[in-house]
Amino acid sequence: MTADDHTALCVLGTGLIGGSLLRAATAAGRTCWGYNRSAPGVAAARTSGFDVGDDLAAVLRRAAEADALIVVAVPMPAVHAMLDAIAEYAPGCALTDVVSVKAPVAAAVRRYGLEARYVGGHPMAGTAESGWQATDAELFRGAAWAVGVDPGTDADVWTRVTRLALDCGAVAVPVTASEHDRAVARISHLPHVLAEALAVAGARGGDLALGLAAGSFRDGTRVAGTAPDLVRAICEPNSEALLAVLDETLTALGEARESLSAQTSLTDLTEAGHAARQRYETAERWEITDVFPGAAGWLEKLQEAGRAGGVLTHLPVAPAGDRPVLRPARPGPGSPRRNRRDQR
């Protein structure tokens, strides 16, 4: 079986991201099924016509039989329970995730002996809503989907994970776990913190302030509408990177305060902020076309391309004579199930 033949997909967690993934992958023609621990969540998905169950062991046994790609789509606090079950029932399956941090997930994957078949993922998409009722097959259309290219990444699994992202309508961004976590601290996790602070500041102004609030307040506080437990699950596992960028931001705000107090001026902050926004607005993605999974130096080339803003909108195909043979990695002689209790 070649990488192109792998279409079976098993999604563990059918909330906003996992459920939208299940919808998008099914719409792309894949054979998909999923797991959810919540009976109402299972019922809602089934009512919508999707194959979702609450028996994790049975769902994973099916994945093992089908050689499915397993997607861990639960918040970070629940990741260990999913990996524990995968190590028992489907340790040979290709594995990815859609968790908002990558280094902590990778460390957990290593703890359960699953690293040979793992490639991290993170679609940069979402809403302030949660649960199956918020799912949308078009959620990932045009979104950036981070795909791991850490040293030792298996080319076959990487290809399967990247193809999944593309099938869902996203563009794939190659990135290492540590670089991903530092980046999302700036563009995802810090905005959550600032949105919460801005919402609190507005509410402290009372009914008059909230009655006058318009677009800038609404847009700036949008993600504060996310359930608090989910915000914590997103941000807290990335605390080291988030603290660094939060300190940087507090320094910038402190300097703006001093300038406003001493000179009645916000010139430096507003000009720097405007220029930064313009850079974001005019940034262009460029297509990575000449890096082939499994070829010599492919991971290093993808790492460099990702840092420079490169994305994949399709999987490059090498000329037939130069095409590497993708051999799926398999678990080593130490069984993950046998070792996992000692790794806790």
Side-chain angles (χ1 to χ4, degrees):
M1 181 178 287
T2 68
D4 289 344
D5 296 327
H6 289 146
T7 60
L9 187 73
C10 173
V11 181
L12 306 182
T14 57
L16 171 64
I17 301 300
S20 295
L21 174 55
L22 194 64
R23 286 184 180 275
T26 300
R30 287 174 173 260
T31 300
C32 305
W33 64 94
Y35 161 81
N36 196 288
R37 70 173 184 173
S38 161
V42 170
R46 288 178 173 174
T47 299
S48 299
F50 289 86
D51 187 357
V52 176
D54 58 4
D55 185 338
L56 181 57
V59 166
L60 289 174
R61 288 192 188 99
R62 180 178 174 186
E65 291 172 0
D67 191 22
L69 171 62
I70 297 174
V71 182
V72 176
V74 297
M76 188 64 213
V79 165
H80 283 272
M82 294 298 102
L83 295 178
D84 186 62
I86 293 167
E88 179 171 2
Y89 297 109
C93 283
L95 175 65
T96 188
D97 73 288
V98 289
V99 182
S100 61
V101 288
K102 296 278 68 75
V105 175
V109 166
R110 288 191 296 272
R111 177 181 176 185
Y112 289 95
L114 299 169
E115 66 273 18
R117 299 289 287 159
Y118 169 74
V119 171
H122 181 203
M124 301 303 298
T127 71
E129 304 300 320
S130 60
W132 178 264
Q133 68 276 6
T135 60
D136 180 4
E138 295 297 308
L139 182 66
F140 311 110
R141 185 71 54 187
W145 191 309
V147 179
V149 286
D150 291 274
T153 294
D154 178 71
D156 173 70
V157 180
W158 182 88
T159 299
R160 293 180 67 175
V161 174
T162 301
R163 187 177 298 282
L164 173 63
L166 301 179
D167 282 353
C168 291
V171 298
V173 180
V175 64
T176 65
S178 60
E179 289 177 326
H180 167 277
D181 290 356
R182 290 195 295 271
V184 297
R186 293 179 177 277
I187 53 83
S188 177
H189 303 166
L190 179 65
H192 273 285
V193 174
L194 296 180
E196 306 289 357
L198 180 57
V200 170
R204 285 176 177 169
D207 292 340
L208 175 60
L210 295 177
L212 292 171
S216 59
F217 182 80
R218 181 186 64 247
D219 295 345
T221 60
R222 180 183 64 82
V223 294
T226 306
D229 287 348
L230 183 55
V231 174
R232 293 182 58 200
I234 290 170
C235 296
E236 290 176 353
N238 202 25
S239 60
E240 183 176 353
L242 180 54
L243 281 169
V245 70
L246 187 56
D247 285 343
E248 183 182 309
T249 304
L250 289 172
T251 297
L253 290 174
E255 291 172 350
R257 185 192 184 285
E258 291 178 6
S259 178
L260 185 62
S261 176
Q263 306 170 34
T264 320
S265 172
L266 290 173
T267 299
D268 290 346
L269 181 62
T270 55
E271 290 186 352
H274 180 75
R277 174 68 186 195
Q278 290 299 110
R279 180 179 176 184
Y280 167 71
E281 292 284 0
T282 58
E284 294 185 1
R285 294 165 169 166
W286 58 274
E287 177 75 14
I288 303 170
T289 59
D290 57 352
V291 182
F292 311 112
W298 70 285
L299 285 171
E300 292 80 4
K301 291 176 182 177
L302 284 176
Q303 292 166 9
E304 182 178 357
R307 294 183 194 112
V311 302
L312 292 135
T313 61
H314 66 278
L315 283 168
V317 179
D322 301 324
R323 198 169 299 167
V325 177
L326 302 184
R327 294 185 175 87
R330 296 296 178 189
S335 164
R337 177 57 180 172
R338 186 172 65 242
N339 294 337
R340 67 186 180 89
R341 296 191 185 278
D342 297 333
Q343 294 165 342
R344 287 177 178 166

